[in-house]
Amino acid sequence: KSVIAFIEDPDGYKFELIERGPTPEPLCQVMLRVGDLDRAIKFYEKAFGMELLRRKDNPQYKYTIAMMGYGPEDKNAVLELTYNYGVKEYDKGNAYAQVDI
């Protein structure tokens, strides 16, 4: 029941927007692609006090996600960390709805 749209900013960067049911937060989810999922989880736990809400491996699509946040996903904004199998780094400045940290 999600509505998905793609937009492009004036600099040519593309973003995916997903409309979901009503939530208390105007921004409910941000996705970052990471090269080392376990290291990224530890970083967000230590640096921001986030907790790992859930982790899901998707071998058929060759990626694993970890949802990080401060409480239940349906009531708080969450950070989705996505690890694509075999990808250790991303090109800086040439991202598709990604932020390279």
Side-chain angles (χ1 to χ4, degrees), residues 1 7 11 14 39 44-45 53-54 78 80 89:
K1 296 185 179 183
I7 62 167
D11 294 324
K14 296 178 179 148
R39 184 173 175 219
Y44 285 99
E45 287 173 335
L53 302 174
R54 69 182 165 97
V78 294
E80 175 187 329
E89 64 181 59

Side-chain angles (χ1 to χ4, degrees), residues 24-72:
E25 299 288 337
L27 176 67
C28 64
Q29 183 173 331
V30 173
M31 186 266 283
L32 297 176
R33 296 194 191 274
V34 298
D36 184 330
L37 185 59
D38 292 326
R39 184 173 175 219
I41 290 169
K42 289 176 187 170
F43 172 80
Y44 285 99
E45 287 173 335
K46 185 175 180 180
F48 298 107
M50 292 178 151
E51 62 183 272
L52 177 62
L53 302 174
R54 69 182 165 97
R55 183 176 179 146
K56 183 175 181 197
D57 189 35
N58 297 286
Q60 69 275 27
Y61 299 110
K62 299 181 180 176
Y63 73 90
T64 301
I65 63 167
M67 302 302 276
M68 305 292 297
Y70 299 106

Side-chain angles (χ1 to χ4, degrees), residues 1-18:
K1 296 185 179 183
S2 296
V3 176
I4 300 173
F6 295 91
I7 62 167
E8 187 172 321
D9 77 4
D11 294 324
Y13 290 99
K14 296 178 179 148
F15 297 88
E16 177 181 10
L17 302 176
I18 303 172

